[in-house]
Amino acid sequence: MQFGFLLEQVVNGLVLGGYYLLIALGLSLIFSVGGVVNLAHGAFYALGAYASVEITKYLGFVPALVISPLAVALLGLLFERFILRRFYNADPILSLLVTFGLAMVAEQAIRIVWGAAPLSASIPPVFRGSVIVGDFLFSRYRLLILAVVAAALLGIWLLLHKTSFGRVVRAGIQRPDMVAALGIRLQPYMTVIVMLGVGMAALGGAFFAPITIVHPAMGAEIITVAFVVVVIGGLWQFLGCRDFGAAGGRGARYHHSFRARCRRGIDLHPDVPGAAGASARTFGRADREI
């Protein structure tokens, strides 16, 4: 029984870690190549969630998962072309101020377009239900999220390590002076990196819209966690963001479970390893809390 509980919480933590990872990885890539700390990154996450909710009304959930990240990536193209590009070689405090202001503008624009009231989205019927293996019970939809995050992580790794594009990007991170000496302009690569980063944030918003509350300030809420993952995992480290994102997700789930059990007056079993940090069983149920 306890093993099933712990296994459920490990998967819970991996899902939440994937949630952090989709946001933090794009943030880390943008900083690594352009040297810009993008405080507006959370706004693209929120736009992805809102776009997904809106597109789902007309085309369905699966098309929304494809269209909303692509649409937000195109916004990222404009964002890089007309805003970020001006600050690559400027004082970092200027890019912080500009992107912070843009995040505030984006949040208020969401309030104007969709209103201040939270929006609700439901899990498609095909992804509802649970997978039961012995004592292990988990939502099909969250397992789908875990699979998509793993596929996205693998795709980014292959792009950065197995393609000529990735070789130039990694060289630009480590020795930009040598890349310039070889006559390679990093500008087009930076444009693609920004589109990729904000597209991943939008994908996270689209996937988590049915299991969280979609509201105008959701981008400001996630950006803090994303920065923690990026800074501790390593501003320039792909694997560091991956590992700390997963570890942070598991730790957060364990912490919530400990608090929930204390509120219910249930003692944690002393023989279970890591029992003082077990996570909320309710995360794998029908609740809408992330």
Side-chain angles (χ1 to χ4, degrees):
M1 184 68 175
Q2 293 292 352
F3 175 76
F5 171 75
L6 290 177
L7 179 61
E8 182 181 339
Q9 306 323 309
V10 169
V11 178
N12 284 336
L14 289 175
V15 172
L16 187 58
Y19 170 61
Y20 296 155
L21 178 62
L22 285 176
I23 314 299
L25 188 55
L27 191 66
S28 178
L29 286 173
I30 293 172
F31 177 83
S32 298
V33 181
V36 174
V37 180
N38 180 21
L39 291 179
H41 201 69
F44 294 104
Y45 160 77
L47 287 172
Y50 272 92
S52 175
V53 171
E54 198 67 29
I55 295 171
T56 299
K57 297 177 183 178
Y58 303 98
L59 300 178
F61 180 72
V62 174
L65 290 179
V66 177
I67 296 175
S68 58
L70 292 177
V72 175
L74 291 177
L75 286 178
L77 172 64
L78 300 177
F79 171 58
E80 192 278 334
R81 173 63 180 83
F82 295 104
I83 298 178
L84 278 191
R85 188 172 296 184
R86 302 171 183 269
F87 298 96
Y88 291 149
N89 298 316
D91 188 338
I93 194 64
L94 296 178
S95 62
L96 283 173
L97 291 173
V98 169
T99 55
F100 178 72
L102 182 63
M104 297 178 66
V105 170
E107 181 176 333
Q108 296 307 315
I110 289 174
R111 295 179 189 275
I112 293 172
V113 175
W114 284 284
L119 300 183
S120 61
S122 59
I123 298 174
V126 67
F127 298 124
R128 293 176 186 171
S130 301
V131 174
I132 302 175
V133 180
D135 293 330
F136 176 72
L137 173 66
F138 205 76
S139 164
R140 292 180 183 174
Y141 185 71
R142 287 184 168 88
L143 290 177
L144 171 67
I145 292 176
L146 186 59
V148 170
V149 169
L153 183 62
L154 177 61
I156 295 297
W157 186 88
L158 291 175
L159 177 66
L160 293 179
H161 290 83
K162 301 298 181 180
T163 66
S164 58
F165 173 86
R167 285 192 290 271
V168 172
V169 169
R170 286 186 289 118
I173 293 172
Q174 297 171 8
R175 295 295 301 271
D177 53 338
M178 293 300 296
V179 173
L182 292 173
I184 301 175
R185 293 181 64 249
L186 283 175
Q187 184 61 64
Y189 295 88
M190 186 60 199
T191 301
V192 176
I193 287 296
V194 171
M195 294 179 65
L196 185 63
V198 302
M200 284 193 298
L203 181 65
F207 263 108
F208 279 85
I211 56 176
T212 188
I213 299 175
V214 180
H215 60 96
M218 63 188 300
E221 292 176 354
I222 192 60
I223 194 66
T224 303
V225 180
F227 268 115
V228 171
V229 172
V230 171
V231 171
I232 297 181
L235 285 171
W236 293 272
Q237 298 295 327
F238 173 82
L239 296 180
C241 287
R242 179 205 66 182
D243 295 339
F244 188 76
R250 290 194 295 271
R253 287 296 96 199
Y254 294 162
H255 171 68
H256 290 318
S257 175
F258 177 73
R259 292 175 57 190
R261 284 194 166 207
C262 287
R263 284 196 299 267
R264 294 195 301 268
I266 299 176
D267 294 331
L268 292 167
H269 197 287
D271 297 331
V272 179
S279 64
R281 293 181 66 87
T282 53
F283 186 71
R285 302 296 189 267
D287 63 289
R288 299 176 59 83
E289 181 182 351
I290 289 294

